[in-house]
């Protein structure tokens, strides 16, 4: 059975496309509908490893979870991971094919489109519905030629579009009408519904504007979604800089640098959401405050980010922090930074050459042309005796191959028999290549205990994520215009309450 494909496009980045796709996927999945998410082209440094051993955007992995599926590379056939201001690593069907600047990638787009259409065909043959997420805005005039991310894809597969806008930013009517005005006639005809996102207040006060919008455009407003505070979902790329509201005074202070090419910063989301932890992201020009734990997150360009780290004084701050007994955790690129040398002989992340690391762990890292991509499970073996054995589940995404004496004191024993990471002789530094280190409840408690928060409150990040998806689907179901589920998905309307 061929799928019915629906595309969600937005008036701007972060308008709510990712969350609307996730909401639709969960709403349909819990009604027993076979549904799959897809994003033809994504540009993001937060990524995940799929069941078929490839790499896709983190948001699409979350949408797969919403659809109650294992993430697959067809759900994000083209992923762009920026490693400079003008270039990005290009990943097709889960595998890196090289680095291109904008001009080279524009010339490559016909090949990329073929990969995108092949992925869509496979999904359409397997699922009843495919919910597709656009990228940025379809009204970017300079990107219209050769587009594969928005209307170019919609026209290629002949699918309808819902257009979502964020009212919390202001200018929602101008952004919706303006977007339509900048589309071609055939593209405008594809827009068959509006969704207004992040609304606060009394909807009766908004109704005159909705009536005007429908009369002006002829497009129905299918839903006005409320602003959902504290929604525990993985960000596609943007860093949540504000800590979640906490009761009482935080008992553990954690800081992390915002680096130019930071990747997989969602690793730290469980810390941000823990009621006893204050997590602060420290950007350029901000003073580096005292803390109990410093986390060095992943990076797409480790040498360049290490240069930025030194320029901001973090190398001095980390050494001072360690002298006073503070803890340091390095994740993936952060592990590599903690070592003695970084080697990039092929120029995979910048100019070929080597650079000194922070010299806090006796290891060196060399970037290899083939990425390590795998899901992993294991247990801690390098944390204090009471925490040894806490289970870990996550994934590896890295081009670096590390070696050196520090690895003889590993942090994890993986179920496939390999050892991962390093622990310093004094126990103050931990490092690992595994993303998702905080996601398992026991592992989170073990790391918090080591960092200085014994007997921390239990928190289950996976259960939080599931609860957030259910809450999101509930909000969408309640907000949808009557008849929408029947018209678009052949489903009965929810019973009135």
């Amino acid at each position: 059975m061929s799928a019915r494909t629906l595309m969600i496009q937005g008036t701007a980045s972060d308008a709510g496309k990712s969350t609307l796709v996730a909401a639709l996927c969960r709403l349909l999945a819990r009604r027993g509908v076979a549904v799959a998410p897809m994003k033809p082209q994504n540009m993001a440094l937060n990524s995940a490893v799929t069941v078929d051993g490839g790499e896709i955007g983190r948001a699409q992995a979350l949408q797969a979870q919403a659809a109650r599926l294992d993430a697959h590379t067809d759900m994000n056939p083209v992923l762009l991971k920026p490693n400079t201001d003008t270039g990005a690593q290009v990943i097709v069907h889960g595998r890196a094919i090289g680095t291109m600047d904008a001009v080279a990638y524009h010339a490559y787009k016909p090949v990329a489109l073929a990969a995108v259409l092949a992925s869509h065909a496979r999904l359409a043959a397997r699922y009843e519905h495919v919910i597709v997420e656009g990228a940025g805005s379809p009204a970017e005039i300079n990107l219209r030629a050769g587009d594969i991310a928005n209307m170019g894809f919609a026209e290629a597969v002949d699918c309808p579009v819902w257009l979502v806008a964020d009212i919390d930013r202001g200018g929602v009517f101008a952004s919706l009408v303006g977007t339509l005005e900048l589309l071609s006639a055939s593209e405008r005809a594809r827009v068959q519904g509006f969704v207004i996102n992040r609304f606060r207040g009394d909807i009766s006060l908004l109704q005159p504007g909705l009536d005007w919008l429908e009369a002006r455009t002829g497009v129905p407003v299918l839903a006005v979604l409320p602003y959902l505070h504290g929604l525990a979902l993985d960000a596609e790329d943007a860093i949540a800089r504000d800590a979640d509201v906490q009761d009482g005074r935080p008992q553990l202070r954690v800081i992390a640098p915002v680096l130019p090419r930071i990747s997989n910063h969602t690793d730290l989301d469980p810390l941000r959401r823990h009621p006893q932890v204050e997590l602060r992201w420290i950007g350029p020009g901000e003073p580096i405050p005292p803390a109990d734990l410093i986390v060095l997150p992943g990076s797409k360009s480790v040498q360049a980010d290490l240069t930025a780290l030194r320029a901001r004084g973090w190398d001095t701050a980390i050494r001072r922090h360690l002298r006073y007994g503070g803890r340091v955790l390095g994740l993936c690129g952060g592990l590599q930074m903690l070592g003695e040398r970084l080697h990039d002989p092929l120029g995979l992340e910048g100019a070929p050459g080597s650079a000194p690391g922070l010299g806090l762990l006796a290891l060196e890292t060399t970037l290899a042309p083939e990425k390590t991509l795998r899901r992993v499970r294991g247990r801690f073996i390098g944390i204090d005796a009471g925490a040894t054995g806490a289970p870990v589940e996550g994934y590896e995404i890295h081009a670096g191959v590390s070696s050196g004496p520090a690895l003889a004191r590993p942090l994890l024993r993986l179920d496939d028999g390999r050892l991962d990471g390093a622990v310093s002789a004094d126990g103050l530094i931990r490092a690992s290549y595994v993303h998702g280190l905080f996601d398992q409840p026991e592992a989170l408690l073990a790391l918090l205990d080591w960092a200085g928060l014994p007997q921390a409150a239990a928190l289950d990040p996976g259960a939080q994520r599931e609860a957030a998806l259910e809450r999101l689907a509930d909000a969408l179901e309640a907000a949808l215009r009557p008849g929408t589920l029947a018209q678009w998905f052949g489903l009965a309307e929810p019973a009135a309450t």
Side-chain angles (χ1 to χ4, degrees):
M1 175 181 180
S2 294
R4 180 170 183 174
T5 298
L6 169 65
M7 191 170 197
I8 307 299
Q9 297 183 13
T11 58
S13 295
D14 200 32
K17 299 182 293 293
S18 296
T19 52
L20 181 54
V21 170
L24 281 167
C25 285
R26 176 50 59 95
L27 180 55
L28 295 177
R30 70 187 188 183
R31 293 286 200 98
V33 176
V35 59
M38 181 185 179
K39 184 160 186 171
Q41 174 189 288
N42 195 357
M43 178 177 284
L45 289 175
N46 288 341
S47 57
V49 176
T50 62
V51 68
D52 53 329
E55 184 179 5
I56 65 172
R58 184 73 197 154
Q60 281 60 68
L62 177 71
Q63 291 161 357
Q65 181 180 343
R68 295 177 175 155
L69 300 174
D70 278 326
H72 191 281
T73 52
D74 282 337
M75 296 173 183
N76 179 201
V78 177
L79 174 63
L80 307 177
K81 301 187 78 173
N83 48 21
T84 68
D85 287 344
T86 58
Q89 185 180 62
V90 180
I91 296 167
V92 177
H93 289 152
R95 298 290 171 181
I97 63 165
T99 296
M100 301 183 192
D101 62 19
V103 173
Y105 180 67
H106 185 74
Y108 179 78
K109 277 186 176 180
V111 180
L113 177 60
V116 164
L117 295 179
S119 285
H120 176 261
R122 286 190 288 266
L123 293 174
R126 187 172 178 183
Y127 298 97
E128 296 174 68
H129 293 277
V130 180
I131 310 297
V132 182
E133 179 186 345
S137 162
E140 303 293 350
I141 303 302
N142 58 309
L143 299 178
R144 294 283 290 281
D147 170 59
I148 67 172
N150 288 299
M151 285 298 180
F153 173 86
E155 299 236 291
V157 303
D158 191 21
C159 73
V161 171
W162 290 4
L163 186 63
V164 59
D166 180 3
I167 196 170
D168 195 55
R169 294 181 172 188
V172 69
F173 300 113
S175 62
L176 287 167
V177 173
T179 298
L180 284 185
E181 288 296 319
L182 293 176
L183 300 178
S184 70
S186 64
E187 292 168 346
R188 280 196 299 273
R190 294 192 179 279
V191 180
Q192 297 185 21
F194 293 140
V195 175
I196 293 177
N197 190 32
R198 297 190 183 107
F199 176 72
R200 323 180 197 219
D202 186 338
I203 199 167
S204 67
L205 299 177
L206 182 64
Q207 193 60 50
L210 302 181
D211 294 340
W212 174 89
L213 180 65
E214 291 185 346
R216 170 70 171 75
T217 65
V219 177
V221 177
L222 299 178
V224 177
L225 291 171
Y227 195 110
L228 298 177
H229 295 275
L231 201 62
L233 292 176
D234 305 26
E236 181 169 58
D237 212 34
I239 294 175
R241 297 294 301 274
D242 296 328
D244 287 357
V245 176
Q246 302 167 356
D247 296 326
R249 185 175 180 178
Q251 295 171 299
L252 190 79
R253 297 164 301 169
V254 182
I255 60 173
V258 179
L259 300 171
R261 300 299 168 199
I262 186 173
S263 66
N264 287 79
H265 60 73
T266 50
D267 284 344
L268 276 64
D269 280 356
L271 297 179
R272 183 169 60 87
R273 295 176 183 135
H274 196 283
Q276 296 166 282
V277 176
E278 179 190 49
L279 170 65
R280 287 186 57 190
W281 291 99
I282 310 300
E286 296 182 58
I288 303 170
D292 301 295
L293 172 64
I294 292 176
V295 181
L296 298 181
S299 167
K300 186 65 192 72
S301 300
V302 179
Q303 288 194 30
D305 275 354
L306 187 53
T307 298
L309 196 81
R310 285 194 169 101
R312 300 174 193 174
W314 277 87
D315 52 340
T316 302
I318 290 170
R319 287 185 170 84
R320 181 174 62 247
H321 172 80
L322 289 168
R323 283 198 304 272
Y324 286 96
R327 268 55 171 176
V328 174
L329 177 66
L331 299 174
C332 197
L335 175 150
Q336 297 171 7
M337 292 180 190
L338 290 168
E340 295 173 339
R341 299 285 294 176
L342 297 162
H343 307 290
D344 188 3
L346 302 178
L348 298 174
E349 293 185 352
S354 299
L358 295 173
L360 298 172
L361 290 175
L363 60 85
E364 298 191 358
T365 299
T366 300
L367 296 187
E370 290 295 322
K371 273 190 185 181
T372 295
L373 295 167
R374 55 190 162 212
R375 295 181 176 186
V376 299
R377 292 182 177 180
R379 293 185 178 273
F380 283 119
I381 58 173
I383 288 194
D384 297 339
T388 298
V392 170
E393 185 172 345
Y395 50 94
E396 293 180 58
I397 302 176
H398 55 93
V401 178
S402 297
S403 60
L407 301 177
R409 292 185 299 273
L411 181 65
L412 303 174
R413 184 182 300 279
L414 303 178
D415 286 358
D416 60 11
R418 293 180 301 115
L419 300 174
D420 169 80
V423 178
S424 63
D426 59 10
L428 298 179
I429 301 173
R430 312 298 199 219
S432 174
Y433 269 118
V434 175
H435 295 288
L437 207 59
F438 295 106
D439 280 356
Q440 297 303 307
E442 291 180 52
L444 175 59
L445 290 178
L447 285 164
L448 291 176
D449 186 23
W450 163 71
L453 186 60
Q455 299 179 328
L459 184 144
D460 187 337
Q464 277 193 336
R465 195 177 291 117
E466 273 295 308
L469 289 170
E470 288 294 318
R471 181 183 170 205
L472 190 60
D474 287 343
L476 176 61
E477 190 169 46
L480 281 172
R481 185 184 190 126
T484 301
L485 289 175
Q487 176 187 352
W488 285 88
F489 308 109
L491 297 175
E493 294 298 308
T497 57

